[in-house]
Each structure stands twice: as C-alpha cells, then as structure tokens.
Amino acid sequence: MTLSSGYRRLLLHALGTLLLGEVFAQSCENFGTPNGTTCSCPPGYGGPTCSLAACGGTLFQGAARGLAQADPSGFSNLTASQCSCEDGWGGVGCNVCTSASPCQSAFNSTQSSSPSPGVGIIPSQVQNTSVTCNVQPRVYAAGEMSCRVLNPTLQAIFPLRSDLNILRTLNSSLSPIPGSTSFGPSGTVYAQLIYDGVEQFYCTADKCTQDLSQGSNWSCEDLKCTCRPGTNFCGKATLDLTNTIDGLSGSLQIDCANSSSSSPGTCFFKQQVLQSLFGQSGLNLSSCAFGECVQQFVIDTANGVVPSAASSSQRQLSGGVIAGLVVVGALAAAAIALLLVGKIVQRRAAKHGPAMVQRGGIGVRWEGVGYSIPRKRWGGGPRHRKPQDAENALKDHDEKVILDPQGSSGIVKSGEMLAILGPSGSGKTTFVEILAGKRKIGRTTGRVEFLDRAGNPIKKPRIGFVDQADTLPAALTPRETLLFAAKLRLPESIPHGAKVDRVSRLLTQLGLDDVADVRIGSGEHRGISGGEMRRVSLGCELVAGCDVVVLDEPTSGLDSVSAAKVANVLRDIATDPDHPTAVIASIHQPSSKLYMTFSHVLLLSHGQTLYTGPGGLTPSEHLSARGFGSCPAGYNVADWLLDVASEPGHTGVASSSEVREKSSSLRSRVDGNASASGDNVAKGNSQEKLVAERNEAEPAAAGEQWQRRKYATTFLTQFEVLSGREWMTLQRDKTLFLAHVGVAAVLGVFVGGLYFKTGTTIAGFQSRVGCLFFLGALIAFSSLSALYNLVEIRPLFLRERGASYYSPTAWLMARLVFDVVPLRLIPTIIVSTITYWMAGLAHDAAHYFKFLFILVLYSLAMTLFNFLLACLFRNGGIAILLSALTALYQQTYAGFFVHLNSIPPVLRWLQWLAPLKYALEALSVNEVGSGLMIEDTLQGVPVSVSASLIMNLLFGFGSDNYYRDVLVLFAFIAGFGLMVVFVVWFNVRERR
C-alpha cells in the first residue's frame, strides 16, 4: 500500500463516519470503520468486513497485506493457512516487530512510492526520523503486543492454544503511518483473542492513560467486547460465552512488567467480570512479545533527548517568549498601578463626601425663551453666518421658528406644579428640553435661571429629566435599576445600606413594591406595564435627589388609572413638606382630574405663549376675557384650552398689556439680579444660548456650562457598577453567548474537517495558509455582532450619559470587557483550538499559543473597529455595510488571493492598512517557524525545501516578520481604541 492510498483511506474513513453513521455500524467487525462499500480495518485484519486475519507481510502494507483463507465456516484460520512471519516480525498474526531493521525497511519501501512523509513526521533536517523497534512494554506512539493466555479454568474448557493480541495507541499522530501502524484515535486499545488460530472475540476501550511507575500500566474506560457467533467461545462448543463476553464493559486495566531476553513479559488483563471469575489478577498473560515501530525522535523527545537543531530552535523561541512575557508583565503592572490609584481615589471620595443629599427647594425662572432651526438649502446643509440680534435671528426667513421668544416668560417656585399644554407641534417638548438644559441642534435664545428659596441664583442645579420614551435595561428589575442609579448618582460617602434603604422607600413612594423584583422587559420579552415603566424612569431621577423635576409627556400612552398614579406621585414630590420640589411637565390631552392636579399652566399655540399663570379655571377666565369665548359648563377645561390653542390666527394674546406688564416686571427682576451678580449670572447660572455663538465660539464637544456637573462617583466605582450590570445581563440573557460558542464549535469541526491533517506538499502548504486565512476571515465577519450590540444599547447610554451617571470611558471599558471576553475571546479560542489540532498544524505548545495570541489580537482589533463604526453612524445599516466592505477589502489585501508584490504600486500601499494582512503573515510565519519542510515531487523530481521559501514565493510573506506584525496589530488596537474613546466623548451625545 502506498502512502497516498493511506491518506485516501483516512479521508474516506472520516467522511464515512460523518455521512453514513450508524447505517454501516454493524457491517464492520473488529471495530473497523465504514469506508464506502468496504471497511477500514485495524492492523492485522482485512477483507470487506475486517473479518479476515492477515497472513504474513508487515504492518506497513496496510490493506495490501495478504489474508488467511476462510475455512468452510467462514472464519480465517492462521494455523490451517500455515501463515509464517517474515524475518524481524513475530507474534500471532505477525504484527510485532523484533528489531529495528525490518521497521526501517518496511517504512522505506512504503516511502518509495510517495516522497511525502506520513502524518506526524518531522523532516530529517530537523529531527532523527529513522524508524526503530521498541520491544519494551512502554508505548511511545502505537505498540503491538501478543501474549499466551494461561488460565487453568479456561484451559480446562478450551484446552487448545489461546493468544491475545493487543494494539495500544497512545498518540496516533506520532505513529509512522497512522491507519497502518496505528488505528483509531489516541488513547485507545484494540484486542483480539485467538483460539487455535481462529479469532473468537474482539474488544476496544478508550480514554486510556499510561502509567510508567511500575512497568507499563494502562487504565482505560468504556470497554466494549463482541463475541463472533459460531466460534468455539461463542456457541460452537458446549459452553457458550457469548453473553459473558458481550457483557464485558466499564473500566479496563492492562498491567505489564518490564521484560528482558531472560525474563519474558508478563501482563494482566483486568476487568470486573474477569476478576470475579479468575481472581484479582484477572486474565493472566504470559510470554508476551512487545513490538512498536516508531521514529527515533519520538523516543528521544519522550526521554528528554533534544537534537542540536531542535535545541537551536528552542533557544530562538525562548527569546520571543521572554519578549512576550515582558510585554504582558508591563501591561499587568500598569493595570495594577491604575487599580491601586483608583482604590486610593475611591477611598478618599468615600471619606470626604457628604453624608446625605437633600433635594428640592429650587425654583425656575425664564424669560424670552425661543428656539429655531436652520432651514436646509439645496446642495448642502444650513447656511452659516454670523449671529444677529436674537429676535431678528428667529424671524429670519432662513430659519424655522419652533418657539417664539415674544411673551415667553414665567416662574415656577419649589412646591409648585406647572403643566405645559398645547396641541401637537406647539413646541411643548422643545420647551421642557430647554428648561432641562438638553443639548439642542438649533438656535436657542433667552434666559433660564434657577433660584433658591431666598431668590438667589444658584450654580449647577440637579435637574431630573424624564423623557417621553422609557429607555431602561430590559434584563434588570425596578429595584436593580434604581439601585444602579443610586450607586452612580449618589456620592460614594453615602453607605451602601443607606442607598438600599433610599431605593426601598422610593419604590414604596412610586407604588412599585409589587413589581420591584420583576424584570422590566422589552418589546420581545414582556415585563412590567407601561405605567410602571414610567414610574421607574421617574424613580431613576428622584433617587439622585434632584432639585427640579422636568417631564416630557409623562402620561402619554397610559390609561387613566396609570396616568393618575403618575400624577399622584408627582404631586407628592412637589408638595413634600420637608423637601418641596418644582415639577414641570408637558401634558398631552389631560383628563379633567389630571389637569386639576397642577397648580400652574402654560399654554402654547404654534410656538407662541398664550397663557402663563395659575391653573384651574383661571386660564379659561383669562382667555374668555380676551375674546376667545367661554368654556361650557361641565366641559373639561384642558380640552377647551387645547381647542383654543389649535385654532390658527389667535396669537395676539401673548402681546396683551397684562402679559407685557408681567414680562416687563420679570425682566426687571432678572436684570436686577444680573447686575448684582455680574456677567457670571447670565453666563454661568442661566441658559442664554445662541446656536451660532455656540457653533463659532465653543468647540463641538462643549455642553451647556450651566448643565456641566462632575460625576458623583469615581472612575473605578463607575467601572465596577457598570461591570456588575453587564454581568447580570449576560447571566440572564445567554442567547448571544451560547450562539457564539455553538457556532464556534461547529465551525471549528467544519474547518478542521475541511483541512484535516494537511500534508507537507506544496499544495498541502497552500491549504495550511488557506486554513489560517479562513480563521481570520471568520473572525472579521463574526465581530459584526459587536457592532449590532452597541447600536442596540446606544439609546440607554445616551440617556444615562445625559444624566451624568458615568464617564463614557468607564462605560466603554466595561462594555469592551464583557463583549470581548464572552463573545470574542472564548469563541476564538474554541474555533482555533479545534481547527489547529485537527488540521495538524505545528504540534508544540509554544507555536500553538503564538498562533492563539495572533488570533486574539486580531479579534480585539476588529471588535474595536466595529465599535468605532457603531459610534460614528447612528444608522446601524450603514455601519454594518461599511464593516462588511472593510472585511472584503482586508481579504483582498491579506496576500492569499493575490501576491502582494504583484499588486500595481498605485494600489499596493493599501495592504499596509489591512489588519488581516499582518495577522495572516504572522500566523504563516509562526507555522513555518516550527521547522516545517516541504516534501514534494515536481515533474518526477523529488523536492525538499524549507516552507519559508515557499511561503515567500507564493504569498510574499517575510519569514522574520512575526514580532513586527504583533507590534502592528497592537498599534491597530491602540489606534482604534483611541478613536473609539474620542468619538464616544465628542460624537455619541444627546442631540435633540
């Protein structure tokens, strides 16, 4: 049998196992494996069903060995066939070598038909590949043994000669020709009992380990035996042992003492049933002959003998390993140093901060608040020009006026509730966002001040803003959500127990005790109700002890009962005798009961203020006196006000003498305070903004100065709390993690099978690089899920960042850790490990870990790149499209599809921007760095060259570029990381 045919048998065996499965499981004896219409048989057996014993020949001949003829009963008889062994071979069946020369000769005759070495063979330029015969019980790769079975009880029943042949496979890949000199996977045992030249039964076991403390002791599991019907042991004789033999199972122990020429080998075949029949020693085996054809370098390696070439390679490797350890050590030291600094800052903040946080007692005053957005022009964006006077700017035809500053003035004291009414499109949401200090994309004019109880302007009030949409973490409960907000928005000096108590009291106040431990849920997974979500959103603001509460349509989308509960909570907050709080809310179509809850009303119509003042019936009386008719008796005042505001042409009320006098009085009070406190009041304590001024005088990253606040907690605390939430979310929703792991395992088996035991020919080396390229491309596309995840949680981040929960950098670090480790690192390790060993890449730990290191670096680089795209583009479809196109570009310039040096110079420079190019080059260099030699035949001429030369000729990779590529990948990681941080800080912000 030629070597190439042996490879074909292995591949057919693998395909047969995967595709045919149990269909042919019973058609092969001796635990052979289906191979099309025939079977792949263990050494010493052949025929269509592996039922015929080999007669003469050698192990290396495989399926080409001669077979003993079958007797009339259908069984081959070695005694009747008068089979004799060739010189240097012994044992029943001639499978046991007795000296080195027959092994080497048989191996050479097999090699003469194909210049390619077998799987697991390292070329002679690196290791001693001469084949020798190991005659000791110890097994190095796959060893044969043949023993006499001497048991008085057994001999009394079956008096003729009984022999037991055993094939012990420790590492099939180290056998000279797997499939011929070994069979099955590593850690297996195959045994056949032969009585009077005829096989009686056969057994197998797996999960075997070898203990060399006293001879060679093998411990195996999952023993299975099959009796051959019609033989002496299995029905032909008076005593039928079929049930006993077929029932042998469990663990198996094969203990062999060291043998010598003067002391033949003795072994014991131990199994529970056999020990119960024949004693604790089990089946006694004597006169054992051991023989294993194995290459010398396998024995040398196992005994610690390192050839000079390998020693040189090992010395070169140790330098790289040391360099890698230095880098890892430096990074670990930096991380520990930063952790210590964070702990010191954290402890200092816990000692010197306030013991409690009070809320309320702050009023809001505004004057001349207006807002407009530039109209877009054909052929470009809005026309930029220098700012003009505020009112003239708003009346400019190039701008669309959303809020008219004329007559827009008012005040809300602590303890008062202001309802902002108006039809859709009247500017309610815009107005409350301006009061809350939200970042707007248009031009804002006017002044907003916050006053203490004495009427003095204050700096940096704590404003709680509740948006229309409830953006909450779906996997958390209301209690966990409020506690998360409390940990981040309350000072670290407040003990954890106090924060827990505060959350518990707030849950009771909000009426959420019954659902406190129910997951919030989302559109896909149902949780709490919409009204309860709205109260949780309100609680996230109240838990921080806010001075002013601003809400945008808190009752929209709720039924009357849920709306009433929200209104009652707001009233309790506003009228708290100890901490009265100003509450400002835009209300869309309130019921009569809800309307009467508010003490003050502001009515908007088409961006203009129709009324500002006390609530109740006062607004209808005021408008009736101005000629707007009267509100019918029993009619909902709020509905009547909305009817009035919806009619066009009634915008003159804002300029009535009463409103003008009120505005003038308020302006004088504001001017007086401004003159008393200086320009800082107007600039630092109020919201007086022109968008043009902000665009030209402030950088794009600057927020409103009055809104800017320091975070309540330190960076380390933010990271810890965010990590806790990420871990909780991952535990409760394992779908994405399990999908990544499952796909990684399946693809690992698929890719490993696709490139199974790749050879060392030129075509085989190209397949090796193709396997590495496939893994890189797989990582590039699988990292797309990082992009989708970030797009999905972006609204929650925007809300929490707008409320100053945490620093964007802390959020990025926590997100990166809990995305990279479970979704990138673990799946990458799974798919690469399975593929690495199935494909037969460099079989040593150093090269494996260097291979894994490159894939982890590339995975991290691609994850950060997708983070960057998700942060740059709000539209997830655009980001995914660009990520996919970038992956295709990387594959084009990786060097696998086109030789890098053959690319035209005008396009060649693009290769330096492709991370996959560096990853593939480093993986290929690592593979050839193991001493890989190419053994092939070109037009009948044997070729034996270094794989590094073929790598350079086929792909243009440099053989010394591994560590350069590592540094470049680190540079990509650092560059993408810095860009992500920059974009998150300056681009991923609330813009309303």
Side-chain angles (χ1 to χ4, degrees):
M1 182 193 72
T2 64
L3 186 59
S4 57
S5 63
Y7 275 111
R8 287 195 296 271
R9 289 199 305 106
L10 281 175
L11 292 175
L12 290 173
H13 157 58
L15 289 174
T17 302
L18 290 173
L19 298 178
L20 301 179
E22 298 295 330
V23 177
F24 294 99
Q26 302 301 323
S27 63
C28 298
E29 295 193 54
N30 286 296
F31 297 105
T33 54
N35 185 7
T37 58
T38 61
C39 296
S40 294
C41 306
Y45 290 89
T49 61
C50 301
S51 61
L52 301 179
C55 185
T58 69
L59 287 175
F60 291 88
Q61 292 176 311
R65 267 179 101 174
L67 302 174
Q69 296 181 355
D71 59 17
S73 60
F75 301 107
S76 59
N77 192 318
L78 295 175
T79 303
S81 300
Q82 298 181 347
C83 297
S84 60
C85 300
E86 297 182 1
D87 291 339
W89 298 92
V92 177
C94 307
N95 295 329
V96 180
C97 66
T98 59
S99 61
S101 178
C103 290
Q104 185 66 62
S105 299
F107 180 72
N108 291 340
S109 63
T110 306
Q111 288 292 92
S112 63
S113 60
S114 175
S116 301
V119 177
I121 296 177
I122 300 179
S124 58
Q125 289 83 345
V126 178
Q127 296 282 15
N128 184 357
T129 58
S130 60
V131 182
T132 186
C133 179
N134 167 41
V135 295
Q136 292 299 318
R138 176 180 179 177
V139 176
Y140 293 96
E144 295 275 359
M145 58 182 287
S146 182
C147 305
R148 288 285 304 273
V149 179
L150 297 177
N151 183 275
T153 303
L154 194 62
Q155 286 181 306
I157 304 172
F158 303 101
L160 301 180
R161 174 169 176 163
S162 298
D163 295 272
L164 186 65
N165 288 350
I166 302 177
L167 168 63
R168 298 172 296 165
T169 302
L170 182 66
N171 189 337
S172 61
S173 65
L174 296 179
S175 184
I177 304 179
S180 294
T181 55
S182 67
F183 185 75
S186 302
T188 56
V189 162
Y190 291 88
Q192 300 88 20
L193 188 134
I194 300 171
Y195 177 71
D196 193 25
V198 178
E199 182 185 13
Q200 305 294 309
F201 65 86
Y202 46 89
C203 301
T204 184
D206 57 17
K207 302 177 184 176
C208 299
T209 58
Q210 179 178 227
D211 180 13
L212 301 175
S213 58
Q214 295 180 350
S216 174
N217 300 328
W218 279 61
S219 300
C220 306
E221 303 291 339
D222 302 330
L223 174 66
K224 292 182 293 184
C225 293
T226 301
C227 210
R228 302 187 71 192
T231 59
N232 292 77
F233 278 46
C234 308
K236 183 177 180 180
T238 304
L239 180 61
D240 187 357
L241 300 179
T242 300
N243 293 334
T244 302
I245 293 173
D246 290 345
L248 297 177
S249 61
S251 60
L252 171 66
Q253 187 83 16
I254 304 175
D255 297 341
C256 297
N258 289 327
S259 62
S260 64
S261 57
S262 60
S263 175
T266 301
C267 299
F268 300 95
F269 194 86
K270 300 179 181 179
Q271 192 270 343
Q272 184 179 3
V273 175
L274 298 179
Q275 289 175 308
S276 64
L277 293 175
F278 307 124
Q280 290 300 316
S281 298
L283 204 60
N284 186 15
L285 308 178
S286 62
S287 302
C288 294
F290 304 97
E292 175 187 11
C293 289
V294 61
Q295 292 172 294
Q296 185 62 46
F297 81 87
V298 176
I299 299 177
D300 293 341
T301 302
N303 294 324
V305 179
V306 182
S308 58
S311 300
S312 175
S313 174
Q314 187 68 21
R315 287 195 297 270
Q316 294 176 1
L317 175 64
S318 62
V321 172
I322 292 174
L325 291 176
V326 169
V327 173
V328 172
L331 293 176
I336 293 174
L338 291 175
L339 181 62
L340 292 176
V341 172
K343 281 292 184 182
I344 294 173
V345 174
Q346 188 181 54
R347 181 165 298 184
R348 184 180 301 170
K351 287 183 178 180
H352 298 91
M356 61 184 299
V357 174
Q358 298 291 343
R359 66 172 175 84
I362 304 298
V364 185
R365 181 173 59 194
W366 68 92
E367 180 189 10
V369 173
Y371 180 73
S372 64
I373 56 176
R375 298 181 186 274
K376 291 187 177 181
R377 308 181 65 187
W378 292 105
R383 180 169 59 92
H384 296 284
R385 53 176 174 76
K386 294 183 179 180
Q388 302 173 4
D389 178 76
E391 289 193 13
N392 293 334
L394 289 177
K395 295 177 181 179
D396 195 302
H397 292 294
D398 285 343
E399 293 182 331
K400 178 182 179 181
V401 177
I402 305 299
L403 285 176
D404 191 341
Q406 182 67 32
S408 177
S409 58
I411 186 170
V412 179
K413 299 179 181 179
S414 59
E416 296 179 346
M417 298 177 64
L418 172 66
I420 302 174
L421 302 180
S424 298
S426 61
K428 300 188 301 297
T429 297
T430 301
F431 188 76
V432 295
E433 289 176 350
I434 291 174
L435 293 184
K438 294 300 177 181
R439 185 180 178 89
K440 305 292 291 182
I441 62 173
R443 185 192 304 275
T444 305
T445 61
R447 178 174 298 178
V448 177
E449 287 187 328
F450 297 89
L451 313 173
D452 59 17
R453 296 182 180 180
N456 299 317
I458 65 169
K459 297 180 178 180
K460 300 179 181 178
R462 299 188 302 273
I463 302 176
F465 178 74
V466 182
D467 207 344
Q468 289 187 38
D470 297 310
T471 308
L472 300 169
L476 269 60
T477 65
R479 187 187 305 277
E480 292 165 346
T481 303
L482 296 184
L483 186 58
F484 174 83
K487 289 179 179 179
L488 291 177
R489 302 189 69 183
L490 292 176
E492 295 192 54
S493 53
I494 298 178
H496 176 74
K499 295 177 181 178
V500 174
D501 292 340
R502 188 184 186 99
V503 169
S504 299
R505 292 194 304 270
L506 186 57
L507 286 169
T508 302
Q509 183 182 9
L510 295 172
L512 295 172
D513 283 330
D514 293 339
V515 295
D517 299 308
V518 178
R519 294 188 191 179
I520 293 174
S522 61
E524 297 180 358
H525 304 284
R526 186 170 178 82
I528 61 178
S529 67
E532 290 162 345
M533 283 188 183
R534 190 60 48 88
R535 280 177 275 162
V536 173
S537 298
L538 177 59
C540 290
E541 302 301 323
L542 297 179
V543 75
C546 48
D547 300 317
V548 178
V549 178
V550 181
L551 307 97
D552 185 16
E553 299 190 11
T555 60
S556 295
L558 304 182
D559 58 80
S560 58
V561 176
S562 299
K565 290 181 179 179
V566 173
N568 292 334
V569 170
L570 295 177
R571 182 183 58 197
D572 294 341
I573 295 169
T575 59
D576 188 335
D578 296 325
H579 309 291
T581 304
V583 176
I584 302 172
S586 63
I587 303 295
H588 181 71
Q589 202 171 359
S591 65
S592 179
K593 182 178 180 181
L594 179 61
Y595 171 78
M596 290 300 177
T597 306
F598 291 86
S599 60
H600 289 70
V601 171
L602 186 151
L603 182 61
L604 293 174
S605 175
H606 307 290
Q608 293 191 341
T609 303
L610 291 186
Y611 174 83
T612 305
L617 299 177
T618 305
S620 61
E621 295 171 353
H622 174 80
L623 293 176
S624 297
R626 298 299 182 272
F628 286 91
S630 60
C631 179
Y635 196 76
N636 184 358
V637 177
D639 288 341
W640 186 80
L641 293 176
L642 291 177
D643 290 340
V644 172
S646 299
E647 296 179 2
H650 299 293
T651 58
V653 178
S655 60
S656 64
S657 58
E658 182 178 340
V659 175
R660 286 183 181 276
E661 290 175 2
K662 181 178 179 181
S663 177
S664 176
S665 173
L666 181 62
R667 186 179 294 108
S668 64
R669 291 164 57 191
V670 173
D671 292 341
N673 289 329
S675 61
S677 58
D679 294 337
N680 289 334
V681 174
K683 295 182 179 179
N685 302 335
S686 67
Q687 181 185 2
E688 184 177 12
K689 308 170 295 180
L690 286 176
V691 175
E693 291 177 0
R694 184 195 305 162
N695 289 341
E696 296 184 7
E698 299 181 25
E704 291 72 48
Q705 294 184 12
W706 72 274
Q707 182 196 12
R708 187 174 299 171
R709 297 176 290 182
K710 291 183 179 179
Y711 301 108
T713 55
T714 61
F715 182 88
L716 183 59
T717 300
Q718 296 170 19
F719 179 74
E720 290 174 350
V721 176
L722 284 165
S723 297
R725 183 173 73 176
E726 293 286 350
W727 174 247
M728 196 178 303
T729 302
L730 184 64
Q731 282 184 310
R732 293 178 180 177
D733 186 6
K734 303 182 181 69
T735 306
L736 191 60
F737 170 70
L738 294 178
H740 273 77
V741 171
V743 169
V746 171
L747 287 178
V749 174
F750 171 76
V751 179
L754 190 64
Y755 297 98
F756 185 71
K757 297 300 180 185
T758 306
T760 55
T761 62
I762 295 177
F765 178 72
Q766 189 171 8
S767 296
R768 286 173 183 258
V769 179
C771 177
L772 302 176
F773 172 80
F774 192 98
L775 289 174
L778 178 63
I779 290 174
F781 283 108
S782 63
S783 62
L784 279 170
S785 61
L787 188 155
Y788 174 77
N789 292 343
L790 206 61
V791 170
E792 190 176 36
I793 65 172
R794 182 182 180 128
L796 180 62
F797 167 71
L798 290 176
R799 179 183 72 79
E800 293 176 343
R801 182 186 180 182
S804 299
Y805 276 61
Y806 42 72
S807 161
T809 307
W811 174 79
L812 266 178
M813 286 187 61
R815 187 64 201 162
L816 187 64
V817 168
F818 284 89
D819 185 275
V820 167
V821 174
L823 302 182
R824 317 294 157 211
L825 187 60
I826 294 177
T828 298
I829 292 175
I830 291 174
V831 67
S832 58
T833 301
I834 295 174
T835 303
Y836 190 89
W837 299 109
M838 287 186 67
L841 302 180
H843 280 69
D844 62 90
H847 287 90
Y848 164 71
F849 284 110
K850 289 170 72 176
F851 158 86
L852 197 61
F853 180 58
I854 292 297
L855 289 180
V856 169
L857 288 182
Y858 180 64
S859 178
L860 184 57
M862 293 310 300
T863 300
L864 288 172
F865 176 72
N866 282 288
F867 271 29
L868 178 63
L869 292 179
C871 295
L872 279 174
F873 300 97
R874 294 189 179 187
N875 189 323
I878 296 177
I880 292 175
L881 175 63
L882 291 178
S883 179
L885 292 177
T886 304
L888 292 176
Y889 148 73
Q890 290 190 74
Q891 294 175 31
T892 303
Y893 281 91
F896 183 73
F897 291 128
V898 59
H899 195 287
L900 297 176
N901 295 332
S902 66
I903 302 175
V906 69
L907 298 175
R908 191 182 304 165
W909 62 273
L910 291 172
Q911 66 176 296
W912 310 116
L913 303 179
L916 183 57
K917 181 261 183 189
Y918 301 97
L920 182 60
E921 183 178 49
L923 293 172
S924 302
V925 170
N926 177 63
E927 181 65 17
V928 303
S930 63
L932 184 66
M933 297 292 292
I934 300 298
E935 304 283 345
D936 207 343
T937 300
L938 297 178
Q939 297 181 351
V941 179
V943 175
S944 178
V945 296
S946 171
S948 60
L949 176 62
I950 302 299
M951 177 186 69
N952 183 266
L953 291 175
L954 291 180
F955 307 106
F957 296 154
S959 58
D960 298 325
N961 289 347
Y962 179 85
Y963 292 104
R964 185 208 68 174
D965 295 334
V966 169
L967 292 177
V968 173
L969 287 175
F970 267 115
F972 273 112
I973 293 172
F976 289 148
L978 291 175
M979 285 190 285
V980 169
V981 172
F982 180 85
V983 171
V984 169
W985 269 97
F986 298 101
N987 185 58
V988 186
R989 308 171 63 90
E990 276 190 318
R991 289 181 175 86
R992 296 171 177 264

